[in-house]
Amino acid sequence: MKNFAGSWEPENDRKYRDEKLKNVILIGFMGSGKSSVGYRLSYALKRSLCDTDSLIERREGRKISKIFEEEGEQYFRDLETATLKRMLEKKEYKRCILSLGGGTPLREENRKLLKQLGTVFYLRVTPEMVWERLKGDTTRPLLQTEDPRRTIRELLEKRDPIYMDAADIVVDCSGKEQDEIVEFIRKKTVEK
Ligand code: S3P
C-alpha cells in the first residue's frame, strides 16, 4: 500500500480491478474540484475528459437546475444511473477521465457500476473549503437553501462515509495545491 500525506487506500484494496477499462474516476462533494482537477489531468495523462453533468445537460437540452426544477431530483438521479450504464456499454469510455456529479455515488447501484468503470479517486474536502468556493453559487439546486453553509455541512457529513465506501483511493485535498493533487493522481495512474 502506497502512502501520500493524508491519503490512503481502503483495506479491501480494489486498486487495479479496472484492468479492462482503466478510466480514472473523480468523485467528491460539490466544489471539491472534480472538474478543474479532471481538466488538468486530461492534459497530464493525454486522455479525454467526460463530465457526467455535461453529458446529461447535452442529452436533455437543459441545465441541471432546470431538470431539478421541472422534473425533480429522482428524475435527475435516474439520468445519472443511465449515464453510467451507457458509459459501460460504449467503447469510447475507456482510459478516460470521468468527472462525476457530487451525488452520483449515493446510489448503491451506481457504486457498483463505478467499480466496473475504473479506479475511483475521492477528492475529500472540508465544509469550509466548499463554502469558500461555492458561496453565492446559484447553479447547484441542492444548495439554494436559507442557510447554504449549514446545508453543506450536513450533506457532507452524511455523504462522506458513502464517498469513502465508493473510493479506491482517497485524496485528502485540505491544504494542498491543485498541482499536487493532479500530480498525485497522475502518478497513481501511470505507476501500475
Ligand atoms: C449534485 C452535484 C452537482 C450536480 C447536481 C447535484 C449533488 O454536480 O450533479 O447539482 O447532489 O451533489 P457537481 O458536484 O459537479 O457540483
Side-chain angles (χ1 to χ4, degrees):
M1 187 178 296
K2 288 172 194 164
N3 265 309
F4 178 79
S7 303
W8 57 278
E9 293 166 19
E11 230 30 76
N12 60 339
D13 198 342
R14 307 188 202 109
K15 186 155 72 161
Y16 305 131
R17 70 167 70 224
D18 61 327
E19 277 312 306
K20 273 198 340 237
L21 295 169
K22 290 189 171 157
N23 290 299
V24 169
I25 305 170
L26 304 178
I27 64 165
F29 201 75
M30 295 169 265
S32 59
K34 299 173 301 260
S35 304
S36 44
V37 167
Y39 182 75
R40 297 175 63 173
L41 261 178
S42 77
Y43 269 92
L45 288 166
K46 299 190 175 53
R47 296 185 183 203
S48 334
L49 172 66
C50 309
D51 178 307
T52 54
D53 280 349
S54 309
L55 289 176
I56 289 173
E57 287 185 337
R58 217 174 315 144
R59 222 178 149 85
E60 285 283 303
R62 49 190 166 164
K63 292 278 173 203
I64 305 277
S65 50
K66 268 272 171 238
I67 302 175
F68 267 72
E69 189 187 313
E70 293 174 355
E71 317 287 348
E73 183 174 350
Q74 282 320 303
Y75 178 88
F76 174 72
R77 298 301 175 201
D78 290 340
L79 294 177
E80 290 185 308
T81 303
T83 305
L84 295 182
K85 285 184 175 162
R86 239 184 340 265
M87 285 177 153
L88 260 181
E89 282 159 15
K90 294 199 170 178
K91 284 202 195 78
E92 70 228 49
Y93 298 108
K94 225 179 190 181
R95 299 179 66 78
C96 292
I97 312 292
L98 309 182
S99 170
L100 264 49
T104 313
L106 300 183
R107 274 195 186 170
E108 194 187 349
E109 179 183 10
N110 294 356
R111 296 199 291 280
K112 286 186 180 147
L113 293 167
L114 293 182
K115 283 174 199 166
Q116 297 174 59
L117 272 165
T119 304
V120 180
F121 291 84
Y122 169 27
L123 304 189
R124 197 177 196 203
V125 291
T126 62
E128 292 71 31
M129 290 164 76
V130 176
W131 172 247
E132 278 313 310
R133 290 173 187 177
L134 294 187
K135 58 185 170 196
D137 175 87
T138 56
T139 64
R140 270 84 169 187
L142 296 181
L143 300 184
Q144 307 314 302
T145 61
E146 288 227 327
D147 186 350
R149 194 170 193 167
R150 180 173 170 176
T151 307
I152 290 169
R153 216 175 30 244
E154 290 174 351
L155 268 184
L156 186 50
E157 195 178 325
K158 225 189 298 168
R159 288 181 175 189
D160 182 65
I162 302 173
Y163 291 141
M164 293 297 268
D165 176 54
D168 293 306
I169 300 178
V170 180
V171 187
D172 185 344
C173 299
S174 304
K176 291 201 180 70
E177 294 294 332
Q178 208 165 68
D179 282 350
E180 234 179 309
I181 295 166
V182 171
E183 183 52 15
F184 172 67
I185 300 174
R186 188 196 68 76
K187 267 201 187 137
K188 282 276 177 200
T189 306
V190 296
E191 272 176 8
K192 286 189 183 176

